[in-house]
Amino acid sequence: QKEVEQDPGPLSVPEGAIVSLNCTYSNSAFQYFMWYRQYSRKGPELLMYTYSSGNKEDGRFTAQVDKSSKYISLFIRDSQPSDSATYLCAMSGWGGGGADGLTFGKGTHLIIQP
Amino acid sequence: NAGVTQTPKFRVLKTGQSMTLLCAQDMNHEYMYWYRQDPGMGLRLIHYSVGEGTTAKGEVPDGYNVSRLKKQNFLLGLESAAPSQTSVYFCASSPFQQAGTEAFFGQGTRLTVV
């Protein structure tokens, strides 16, 4: 079993809908939780990150972390066709220094239908 | 505003051939990484470097070698290519203080081994 599980989709929703993307994990040492967005044939880009449990909001995007359940979510409000991409969750046990890379989920392919 | 640049963008190799993928970053980042991305497998770390002259193995290092002779460059070598190494390869870099959260990715190298 991989450390991070993420449903690959595809997830197809109509424009304007609220989108919910999720990951579960097994490593209790993870402290930082990230969401990356990857457009087709491009490299991933960081959307937002959260430290430990709680919520974080950035415009139409809200990230939630529930460490007790080892479950993280990304919500997208008022979804737009330009949000169509693959969304990857990523995790690490520290914020800076001592790097050994991030642990990624497989990514969820999201399609917003106009 | 180059960021992370990967060379080449596409390559077709025959089984047994060798090649080197070049990654260059102009952000003065300490940390650099090589990932491979395969359908259904997500991003997996091959090798990484925490500074000039250092390298370390990631999750899937077999069949690859790396070198970081200069801070801005990170080279990934395939000594004897195999069809199982057909993948999209991403290089990424991170500053020390954000190495656990934000990685800046290149555009990727699509490698096919026939």
Side-chain angles (χ1 to χ4, degrees), chain B residues 21-99:
Chain B
L21 283 67
L22 171 64
C23 177
Q25 54 99 359
D26 62 2
M27 296 173 283
N28 202 35
H29 288 168
E30 291 80 9
Y31 293 80
M32 296 188 75
Y33 314 89
W34 277 107
Y35 290 90
R36 60 178 289 176
Q37 188 174 39
D38 303 291
M41 299 296 291
L43 279 163
R44 293 181 292 169
L45 183 64
I46 304 171
H47 285 280
Y48 65 98
S49 168
V50 300
E52 181 178 319
T54 74
T55 63
K57 294 180 180 180
E59 180 185 355
V60 289
D62 294 342
Y64 305 95
N65 56 76
V66 288
S67 64
R68 190 156 178 213
L69 299 179
K70 294 183 178 181
K71 186 178 184 179
Q72 64 268 32
N73 296 336
F74 196 28
L75 279 63
L76 178 71
L78 285 74
E79 291 186 346
S80 179
S84 61
Q85 294 177 305
T86 293
S87 187
V88 181
Y89 292 85
F90 285 101
C91 176
S93 69
S94 296
F96 177 87
Q97 292 300 331
Q98 294 157 257

Side-chain angles (χ1 to χ4, degrees), chain A residues 2-109:
Chain A
K2 281 184 67 70
E3 284 191 297
V4 180
E5 298 286 348
Q6 184 176 12
D7 187 337
L11 176 62
S12 183
V13 301
E15 182 177 355
I18 296 175
V19 175
S20 172
L21 304 168
N22 312 292
C23 289
T24 59
Y25 65 96
S26 58
N27 189 343
S28 300
F30 289 142
Q31 296 284 348
Y32 291 83
F33 305 90
M34 283 68 69
W35 286 96
Y36 281 76
R37 179 174 60 194
Q38 183 177 22
Y39 290 114
S40 180
R41 297 184 174 267
K42 301 290 186 182
E45 294 179 300
L46 179 67
L47 262 180
M48 55 198 304
Y49 79 87
T50 308
Y51 170 68
S52 194
S53 286
N55 295 358
K56 187 173 185 179
E57 188 173 320
D58 184 1
R60 295 184 296 112
F61 298 88
T62 299
Q64 285 186 354
V65 175
D66 181 351
K67 289 190 68 181
S68 63
S69 301
K70 295 188 174 65
Y71 187 88
I72 71 170
S73 302
L74 177 70
F75 297 95
I76 307 174
R77 293 185 300 279
D78 188 25
S79 56
Q80 304 295 312
S82 58
D83 295 328
S84 296
T86 296
Y87 290 79
L88 301 101
C89 62
M91 306 178 189
S92 73
W94 42 268
D100 59 356
L102 305 176
T103 302
F104 284 88
K106 295 178 182 179
T108 298
H109 182 44

